[in-house]
Amino acid sequence: MRTPFYELHKSLGAKIIDFHGWEMPLEYSGIIAEHGCVRNFVGLFDVSHMGRYQITGTDAFEVVQNLITNDISKLDDNRGLYSPMCNEEGGIIDDIIVFRLAGESFLVVVNASNRQKDLQWILEHAKSANVEDVSENISLLALQGPHAQQMLQKAVEFDLSQLKSFGIVDTKIFGADCKISRTGYTGEDGFEIFCDSARPEIWTRLMQAGTEFGLKPAGLGARDTLRLEAGLMLYGNDIDESTTPFEAPLKWTVRLEKDFIGKTALLNKKPARKLVGFEVAEKRIARHSNHVIINGEKAGFVTSGSFSPTLKKSIGLCYVPPDVAIDQMIGICIGAKIYNAKICHTRFYKRN
Amino acid sequence: MLEEIKFTKEHEWAKLSGGFAIVGISDFAQKQLGDIVSVELPKVGSVFKQLQVMAIIDSIKASSDIYCPLSGQIIEINQNLHDHPELINQSPYDGGWMVKIKPANKDEFDGLMTGTQYEEFVGQK
């Protein structure tokens, strides 16, 4: 599958990879250069492979509230939040962003890898609410970095200084209708632009508008290193249906004062492991599913590992027993050797 | 330059120079790997057979075994790669060389692909 911007990525010399059936740009100028550009200037990502569903109608509020662990009861119109969506066992079906567009109208953004599964799950629990897959008609771009607001203001009518984190607004970009939210997956300030799939020239015009702000196109490679530094979960790597929000560092998204699918299981199940960060003492890079060794025994596994371009260190996330403490030394099996690593928080980078 | 150096199917190159062979990975290989962030080189004095794993390169996306293109003993390693693994991306045939080998059997060098053969080989990929 291809997004409406595929030919533009090719013409920019992107290295294209298969990502859950999508032909997506991995990198253009190089992962480290693109990563640095987002941390210091601004980067443009095509994230149209993610799923977008609208849930509307009289039951919409109740349906969404039941589907997710976080609480939308205090969510004003044009505001969004991050939440896991769990199965009856408390396992994470997906982690999603929910925007409340109006009282009984919601827009949810889901992971590319889970589009079909999520849609089916939502439909099974939709009661009389109307669920519409708008992924085809609306494409999604992410503009991320400290210069994002200043740059995007040149293209949109709405005063972006009035858009708060996790807010969403209807406006125009280069004269075309769109929604813009102040959200992202990089640890930087930034925006996501929901625009008409029939207008791929929006990408080109943003690239032109970004020249004076140091804009670079950025691919999935930089997206992964950026989100890992920021301690953001990657579905399929760090979390999946075998993990709960209490094992992952997502307790803050679980609102036990309300009802939701999986609540009973979460209340009755004591977490047997927890997700933590680690820094490898040497420069070797840990990879997904490498074993964690504590006192000579296998005690967990790596879920994400990479080089941190900002910290210039080998970092990662792993599941370990709940009693493992920050600063504790562990071993990580990489290839045939065990490398020393130190446990740390899952967030490696926080912007000023 | 591609005329004096020869290649393996695993994308290492070797160049004979004063009775020794200088070894690295090809420009095609470094482009495939993307940004290289760590290189684990063999110890000086260690002995390898042809196409035995002698080093590991980590790029951001993947870890790759590097095979010894010729049987022989490692007589020198490129120490600069420890702090500057990106030299392999920037200059795969020069500043990004990896090891020097004292070849045990010079016939093995003749059996490697020429630059033209290698270009054909990667062209089919």
Side-chain angles (χ1 to χ4, degrees):
Chain A
M1 292 170 283
R2 294 174 178 180
T3 78
F5 308 103
Y6 174 82
E7 292 300 334
L8 294 167
H9 304 318
K10 290 283 279 187
S11 71
L12 287 164
K15 196 187 276 183
I16 303 286
I17 52 153
D18 174 84
F19 184 81
H20 298 282
W22 290 85
E23 292 176 78
M24 296 298 290
L26 173 68
E27 58 177 77
Y28 305 81
S29 51
I31 294 173
I32 292 176
E34 293 163 29
H35 181 111
C37 188
V38 172
R39 286 273 177 261
N40 298 302
F41 305 102
V42 55
L44 180 61
F45 300 81
D46 175 10
V47 288
S48 305
H49 58 314
M50 299 183 78
R52 295 165 289 287
Y53 304 123
Q54 275 190 341
I55 304 173
T56 52
T58 44
D59 286 335
F61 171 83
E62 195 192 321
V63 166
V64 174
Q65 186 76 319
N66 186 46
L67 281 169
I68 66 171
T69 63
N70 211 333
D71 184 5
I72 54 169
S73 66
K74 294 182 186 75
L75 200 62
D76 290 333
D77 290 356
N78 293 313
R79 301 280 309 150
L81 52 69
Y82 168 83
S83 181
M85 178 165 74
C86 287
N87 59 27
E88 292 289 355
E89 290 74 48
I92 303 172
I93 290 179
D94 200 0
D95 61 334
I96 66 178
I97 303 282
V98 176
F99 293 103
R100 186 174 209 166
L101 302 178
E104 294 276 14
S105 172
F106 296 87
L107 172 65
V108 302
V109 182
V110 310
N111 280 295
S113 52
N114 292 332
R115 279 173 68 156
Q116 295 313 315
K117 179 181 81 166
D118 287 1
L119 183 58
Q120 197 181 336
W121 180 258
I122 293 168
L123 285 169
E124 278 170 25
H125 298 87
K127 298 182 182 167
S128 64
N130 180 44
V131 181
E132 190 188 354
D133 183 350
V134 294
S135 314
E136 291 271 316
N137 299 334
I138 301 172
S139 55
L140 189 57
L141 297 175
L143 193 69
Q144 302 280 302
H147 293 180
Q149 180 181 322
Q150 208 187 349
M151 188 206 129
L152 189 57
Q153 193 62 70
K154 294 212 147 191
V156 304
E157 288 175 0
F158 184 80
D159 177 4
L160 293 170
S161 68
Q162 301 303 306
L163 187 60
K164 289 185 192 145
S165 180
F166 278 90
I168 189 165
V169 67
D170 282 292
T171 182
K172 285 186 193 293
I173 183 162
F174 302 114
D177 287 337
C178 71
K179 289 185 196 300
I180 292 177
S181 63
R182 197 162 203 146
T183 47
Y185 192 53
T186 60
E188 295 301 328
D189 183 24
F191 301 88
E192 288 175 303
I193 305 156
F194 300 76
C195 49
D196 185 350
S197 290
R199 303 279 304 264
E201 71 274 14
I202 289 171
W203 169 283
T204 311
R205 296 197 60 182
L206 281 170
M207 288 293 297
Q208 287 160 357
T211 314
E212 61 181 300
F213 298 95
L215 177 75
K216 274 183 197 283
L220 294 184
R223 188 168 161 82
D224 189 44
T225 52
L226 288 158
R227 71 89 198 167
L228 179 59
E229 283 185 351
L232 301 169
M233 301 293 102
L234 173 59
Y235 194 90
N237 278 40
D238 308 314
I239 52 175
D240 58 28
E241 289 188 31
S242 76
T243 57
T244 73
F246 289 160
E247 294 172 346
L250 298 175
K251 198 177 175 188
W252 63 276
T253 64
V254 181
R255 299 294 172 171
L256 294 170
E257 65 274 15
K258 57 154 249 189
D259 282 332
F260 58 87
I261 299 167
K263 179 178 168 180
T264 311
L266 286 175
L267 283 172
N268 293 328
K269 200 156 44 180
K270 204 167 170 236
R273 57 187 186 178
K274 66 176 176 185
L275 193 73
V276 293
F278 64 83
E279 287 180 3
V280 184
E282 292 177 57
K283 293 178 89 185
R284 286 300 314 276
I285 307 299
R287 309 285 179 186
H288 182 77
S289 78
N290 286 161
H291 292 297
V292 172
I293 309 291
I294 300 175
N295 298 327
E297 305 272 337
K298 282 180 193 169
F301 61 95
V302 172
T303 60
S304 289
S306 189
F307 176 75
S308 161
T310 307
L311 306 175
K312 308 225 180 322
K313 283 177 182 170
S314 165
I315 63 167
L317 301 172
C318 64
Y319 278 107
V320 291
D323 59 345
V324 169
I326 297 292
D327 289 337
Q328 186 175 329
M329 295 302 294
I330 58 169
I332 294 179
C333 249
I334 307 173
K337 282 197 218 167
I338 297 174
Y339 294 82
N340 288 324
K342 190 162 84 171
I343 299 289
C344 60
H345 290 285
T346 50
R347 187 191 282 185
F348 298 89
Y349 167 86
K350 193 169 190 304
R351 72 174 183 266
N352 293 328
Chain B
M1 182 169 86
L2 292 185
E3 285 154 18
E4 44 192 271
I5 70 177
K6 293 200 161 194
F7 295 84
T8 71
K9 285 185 177 173
E10 304 292 342
H11 309 287
E12 293 84 12
W13 58 264
K15 179 167 79 172
L16 292 180
S17 165
F20 302 113
I22 307 170
V23 169
I25 65 163
S26 72
D27 187 48
F28 174 83
Q30 70 79 15
K31 279 188 184 137
Q32 290 292 111
L33 290 171
D35 288 334
I36 291 169
V37 294
S38 148
V39 182
E40 202 165 81
L41 293 172
K43 288 198 170 67
V44 171
S46 47
V47 175
F48 293 95
K49 290 201 173 114
Q50 190 178 33
L51 295 184
Q52 204 180 349
V53 174
M54 64 156 196
I56 302 165
I57 290 181
D58 278 316
S59 72
I60 289 188
K61 293 311 289 178
S63 303
S64 304
D65 288 337
I66 306 303
Y67 300 89
C68 204
L70 303 168
S71 305
Q73 188 175 34
I74 306 294
I75 55 158
E76 193 181 339
I77 59 174
N78 185 353
Q79 300 281 2
N80 292 336
L81 295 180
H82 186 261
D83 288 330
H84 295 287
E86 71 278 8
L87 284 170
I88 296 177
N89 292 122
Q90 292 163 358
S91 174
Y93 298 117
D94 190 14
W97 69 276
M98 294 177 69
V99 300
K100 273 186 199 166
I101 299 173
K102 187 177 180 190
N105 174 1
K106 289 204 175 135
D107 290 347
E108 285 177 352
F109 184 79
D110 297 331
L112 298 177
M113 281 184 276
T114 64
T116 314
Q117 287 168 331
Y118 179 70
E119 275 175 5
E120 250 171 58
F121 173 70
V122 298
Q124 290 162 358
K125 292 203 140 206

